[in-house]
Amino acid sequence: MDVLTDGTDKFVGGGYIGVDDATGKTFISAAANDVITLNGSTKGGLVGSVIKCTAMADNKYHVEAQLLGSGTLVTPFANS
């Protein structure tokens, strides 16, 4: 599943991906990121994951994510 902007808007913020063995990792969006991809494992998105996006200024959305994942975790943030 993808959370997309229109390509002009960007994400500002970050998210934490936790796994069932009490480990996890925090990822911060880069300045040009306009896509959040959840794949149900390494990028989060398992049942119980939550993403909150709030308009904060022209072309910017603040993102807060608490995600559940598995495997070797990687950032869910990307550029379209």
Side-chain angles (χ1 to χ4, degrees), residues 1 7 11-12 20 24 26 28 30 32-33 37 44 59 63 66 68 78:
M1 177 185 107
F11 291 117
V12 176
D20 62 5
T26 299
I28 304 300
N33 291 158
T37 300
N59 302 323
V63 61
Q66 292 190 327
L68 300 176

Side-chain angles (χ1 to χ4, degrees), residues 3-79:
V3 178
L4 306 166
T5 72
D6 64 1
T8 302
D9 299 332
K10 306 302 179 196
F11 291 117
V12 176
Y16 175 82
I17 305 176
V19 294
D20 62 5
D21 62 0
T23 62
K25 193 168 183 182
T26 299
F27 296 96
I28 304 300
S29 63
N33 291 158
D34 57 359
V35 177
I36 301 169
T37 300
L38 306 178
N39 63 2
S41 61
T42 60
K43 294 182 179 185
L46 295 174
V47 172
S49 295
V50 177
I51 297 176
K52 178 180 176 183
C53 296
T54 305
M56 61 181 279
D58 288 344
N59 302 323
K60 290 188 181 182
Y61 285 90
H62 181 257
V63 61
E64 300 171 69
Q66 292 190 327
L67 308 172
L68 300 176
S70 64
T72 302
L73 303 177
V74 296
T75 185
F77 296 103
N79 303 341

